[in-house]
Amino acid sequence: MLVCPSMLSADPTNLGQALFAVERAGADAVHWDVMDGVFVDAITFGSSVIAAHRGLSRLRFDVHLMTIDPDKHLKSFADAGADVLVVHIEACLHLHRTMTVIKSLGKKVGVAFNPATHWNAIEYCAEVLDMVVVMTVNPGSSGQDFLWNQLEKISALRRILPSSVEICVDGGISDQTIADCAQCGADSCVSGSYIFQNNDRTDDAIRRLKENCT
Ligand code: DX5
Ligand code: ZN
């Protein structure tokens, strides 16, 4: 299973160092939680922050847009160096069109589901999809408890989606929850507070996650 640290939980005064540390520790991608203060209450990173870090790492950059009207932001985050642009299904009025625009920008297409959203909402767009993000907490902050009833959604998506579509889980991932996600068919996980709970030992946390999902 791929491990993708969320920069939301890294020391905000030292994001560059956090990036070096997780890359050295064997992280597979970096997850940037972009919040606009409307879709969720918090406001986090803009595209300039992501662009400033792009040159520091060769890791895949996954940009999770927790914004209303994500269409407005696709180009700026694409230009900032995102490899995968993840939009929320709940925020897209014309999801298929938005997914096609992401493709036309040369980026991989990710679609995130809030816990309340049914997996079948993606059925008719599956052929444009590169990644689904199953939110295992309500979006908006790190450090929340894992919602166990989302395991069923992971299994359902694994059944209907081709193996080429990456199933990513986001929220409440720790050494206690990762194994069940892997068993249900998740390919990757985002982890924030678990990895960065001790900034000097992100390597141990990443190693423990990898050990617990095999
Ligand atoms: C929640 C974000 C997550 C969050 C994960 O809105 O999408 O990526 O940073 O943090 P933890 O792992 O602490 O739940
Ligand atoms: Zn996220």
Side-chain angles (χ1 to χ4, degrees):
M1 206 167 164
L2 307 180
V3 172
C4 316
S6 165
M7 297 304 278
L8 184 62
S9 296
D11 175 357
T13 66
N14 235 334
L15 293 180
Q17 287 307 320
L19 199 53
F20 294 143
V22 297
E23 185 159 8
R24 260 199 319 268
D28 299 287
V30 174
H31 185 91
W32 294 92
D33 284 306
V34 174
M35 303 185 185
D36 67 350
V38 183
F39 184 75
V40 293
D41 290 346
I43 299 177
T44 57
F45 315 108
S47 56
S48 59
V49 174
I50 294 172
H53 289 85
R54 181 59 283 187
L56 302 181
S57 169
R58 302 169 91 92
L59 290 175
R60 187 179 89 188
F61 274 15
D62 298 349
V63 174
H64 179 187
L65 294 170
M66 279 162 276
T67 70
I68 58 159
D69 203 1
D71 296 23
K72 267 203 301 217
H73 308 295
L74 298 176
K75 178 137 187 0
S76 62
F77 284 99
D79 291 347
D83 297 296
V84 185
L85 285 169
V86 180
V87 293
H88 262 267
I89 197 163
E90 302 83 7
C92 294
L93 208 46
H94 302 291
L95 178 67
H96 189 276
R97 184 186 297 156
T98 300
M99 293 169 76
T100 310
V101 171
I102 296 174
K103 275 270 192 256
S104 72
L105 291 167
K107 305 299 176 182
K108 291 201 162 170
V109 180
V111 175
F113 289 66
N114 279 342
T117 304
H118 199 281
W119 58 264
N120 64 10
I122 196 67
E123 229 172 345
Y124 296 108
C125 297
E127 84 283 359
V128 204
L129 195 60
D130 297 299
M131 179 196 284
V132 282
V133 176
V134 177
M135 295 302 301
T136 37
V137 298
N138 284 294
S141 61
S142 59
Q144 303 177 71
D145 289 342
F146 183 82
L147 296 171
W148 291 95
N149 66 358
Q150 298 301 305
L151 290 175
E152 189 185 308
K153 192 185 291 178
I154 301 169
S155 304
L157 286 166
R158 187 71 294 159
R159 271 197 305 279
I160 64 150
L161 295 174
S163 56
S164 55
V165 176
E166 179 175 329
I167 298 182
C168 177
V169 285
D170 184 4
I173 298 297
S174 70
D175 56 351
Q176 304 299 304
T177 54
I178 193 169
D180 288 286
C181 297
Q183 254 160 36
C184 292
D187 304 295
S188 61
C189 71
V190 175
S191 177
S193 49
Y194 180 76
I195 288 180
F196 290 104
Q197 60 193 329
N198 180 344
N199 276 321
D200 299 329
R201 299 292 3 174
T202 52
D203 50 347
D204 281 347
I206 290 173
R207 183 179 42 75
R208 278 197 303 275
L209 286 177
K210 293 206 172 227
E211 279 168 9
N212 278 283
C213 64
T214 49

